[in-house]
Amino acid sequence: MFGRETATLPAVPSAPVLLSGSSGNGQMFVSDELGAAITTRLLVRDFDLDSRSDVLALSGYGARMFTNAGGSNGTFALHPQQLAVPNARGVAAGKFSSDDRLDLAVVGDSLGIFINDGDGNFGEPDSNAPVIQLRGDATVNIVIDSAYSDAGATATDSEDGDLTSRIVVANTVNTTLLGTYTVTYDVSDLSGNAAKPVTRTVNVQPQPATLQGGGGGALGLEILAALLLAAALRRSGQRRVVAGALAPDGDAA
């Protein structure tokens, strides 16, 4: 509950936050005081995405934001960035950009649209894309039928910080088939800005040739040549014997 407490000068009025007591008897206690400006409109939302309710108080000077400190006593901290809109008289929270964060529209002498960066800061829409960096080498060579474990990549964004867990990987590597494969990494930040895709090349190569050991091939050729020579000599000897047997008497050598 948020209230307004007046005071007689020189005392200063305040805007207290009232919480219900733990006794359950309906009694309230002041947990914090959020400034002295007269509040004309109040929004209670999780503006900095920490799962705790924050307070935005509108006055004629603009909007003041108080972020929830997270303590059990219900204290708040004045956010360093305030929204100055002359003669502000209306404020609305909604999703005015492509992300899932609550943005603000403040009506005064003009209409101001303020885009949430996820930390409770409001300003121009986020147009900065995240950046992806490979882990390991950009080209990897592996032998067919061997195991392949991809080293992955990291992603960072100037607004959203570490986006590594949001990376989408397209990995078509088939270690049972020779060829060149591409692993692609993509990511977008919470505002929908897409990073430039990064790729890794994976070459699946054949098994290296195996050399014959012990000179077995050369020895086989030598044995074959010896056998051929022996066969040739044997045939030559048989021809000489036949020729001697057929020669006339007295003419044989």
Side-chain angles (χ1 to χ4, degrees):
M1 180 179 179
F2 189 84
R4 171 73 179 168
E5 182 178 356
T6 61
T8 302
L9 294 175
V12 178
S14 64
V17 177
L18 305 175
L19 298 183
S20 176
S22 59
S23 61
N25 58 5
Q27 293 184 347
M28 312 290 287
F29 70 94
V30 177
S31 66
D32 206 349
E33 294 185 2
L34 309 185
I38 296 175
T39 299
T40 58
R41 183 73 186 275
L42 188 71
L43 287 180
V44 179
R45 301 284 194 278
D46 178 17
F47 292 112
D48 57 4
L49 304 182
D50 63 357
S51 300
R52 298 190 293 262
S53 294
D54 309 307
V55 174
L56 185 141
L58 188 73
S59 69
Y61 302 100
R64 297 167 297 138
M65 184 177 297
F66 300 87
T67 56
N68 196 322
S72 59
N73 57 351
T75 56
F76 293 79
L78 179 64
H79 196 279
Q81 183 196 40
Q82 305 303 309
L83 310 181
V85 178
N87 297 318
R89 55 186 178 270
V91 62
K95 298 176 181 178
F96 304 137
S97 59
S98 60
D99 56 44
D100 241 2
R101 300 184 288 243
L102 282 175
D103 309 308
L104 292 173
V106 181
V107 178
D109 290 345
S110 61
L111 173 63
I113 302 295
F114 301 92
I115 304 301
N116 192 339
D117 71 352
D119 291 322
N121 300 307
F122 292 85
E124 295 296 322
D126 174 19
S127 59
N128 297 318
V131 177
I132 302 174
Q133 289 186 326
L134 282 179
R135 288 190 177 116
D137 297 328
T139 301
V140 176
N141 299 321
I142 61 172
V143 175
I144 190 171
D145 292 328
S146 63
Y148 173 68
S149 178
D150 192 75
T154 61
T156 55
D157 183 72
S158 58
E159 299 291 342
D160 301 321
D162 186 1
L163 294 178
T164 301
S165 63
R166 295 174 61 90
I167 292 178
V168 177
V169 182
N171 185 346
T172 60
V173 176
N174 184 353
T175 60
T176 66
L177 186 64
L178 297 176
T180 298
Y181 301 88
T182 300
V183 182
T184 304
Y185 309 85
D186 289 290
V187 73
S188 296
D189 64 15
L190 298 179
S191 298
N193 300 308
K196 180 181 179 180
V198 172
T199 62
R200 189 194 317 277
T201 300
V202 179
N203 298 312
V204 179
Q205 300 176 334
Q207 295 281 355
T210 303
L211 298 176
Q212 296 290 338
L219 180 61
L221 291 176
E222 292 176 356
I223 294 174
L224 178 60
L227 291 174
L228 291 174
L229 178 60
L233 292 174
R234 188 179 303 113
R235 287 195 298 270
S236 176
Q238 290 175 350
R239 285 196 296 269
R240 285 198 298 270
V241 171
V242 171
L246 297 178
D249 290 345
D251 292 338

